[in-house]
Structures are given as C-alpha cells and as structure tokens.
Amino acid sequence: MITSQSNTTQWRKRQAALGFVRVEVQVRKEDASLVREIANALGDPARHDATRAILRQKITRSPSKSFKALLASAPLEGIELDRPSDFGREIDL
C-alpha cells in the first residue's frame, strides 16, 4: 500500500523534473486568491508567456545602468571637463 507521503514525494519529484519548484509565500487574506491565480497562469503552458511578460513589464524593476553607462548617456555639452594642472605652492627649504 502506498502512503500519502510517498505519493506527495513522487508528485514533487515529477514536478521538479518538469522544472517546477515549491514556493511558499505569505500574503494578506484578500490577496490569496489573486496570488493563486497568478501561480496558475504561470503554470499553464497556454498562458505562461503572456503572464510572464505582463508581470515583468508591470512589477519588476528595469535593470539599473552601470555608473559608466550613466556617465556615457549624460548630456555633457557645454561642461568644462578639463582641470588646470596645479602643482601646489613652492616650499622654501
């Protein structure tokens, strides 16, 4: 006789083989059904791509630029970037 625990273990192994992982989250009671619907849509092959695209567009942050990229895209016209050479003051010995 197969126990309930071994059925669950086998089901989880099959899901892992398909690329699924178990995730536990805590949300407000009124958001629980929404989170379940999102999870179902991501798990459904017919809705997966569209759901993922919408979530990435609306929820995730755009990748931040590096400091070098920010400097390269900055409007630097009219700004003097050369510094005068200053060798300091003379010291009498």
Side-chain angles (χ1 to χ4, degrees):
M1 185 169 157
I2 298 176
T3 65
S4 174
Q5 185 176 2
S6 83
N7 282 341
T8 304
T9 303
Q10 290 175 355
W11 181 81
R12 286 185 180 163
K13 284 182 181 179
R14 286 193 307 270
Q15 292 295 69
L18 294 172
F20 288 90
V21 294
R22 180 176 169 81
V23 177
E24 182 176 332
V25 296
Q26 292 188 358
V27 296
R28 294 182 188 267
K29 192 174 192 175
E30 60 268 14
D31 295 333
S33 62
L34 175 63
V35 172
R36 285 188 191 101
E37 278 299 316
I38 292 170
N40 287 334
L42 286 171
D44 181 6
R47 299 186 296 165
H48 174 264
D49 292 335
T51 304
R52 178 182 273 206
I54 290 168
L55 290 173
R56 284 198 189 278
Q57 177 186 14
K58 298 290 183 180
I59 295 175
T60 60
R61 294 181 181 174
S62 60
S64 57
K65 292 183 177 181
S66 68
F67 184 66
K68 185 177 178 180
L70 286 173
L71 285 176
S73 67
L76 300 176
E77 294 177 16
I79 298 175
E80 182 63 42
L81 296 177
D82 292 327
R83 291 177 43 180
S85 298
D86 183 11
F87 298 110
R89 60 189 171 118
E90 291 196 24
I91 301 174
D92 293 328
L93 295 176

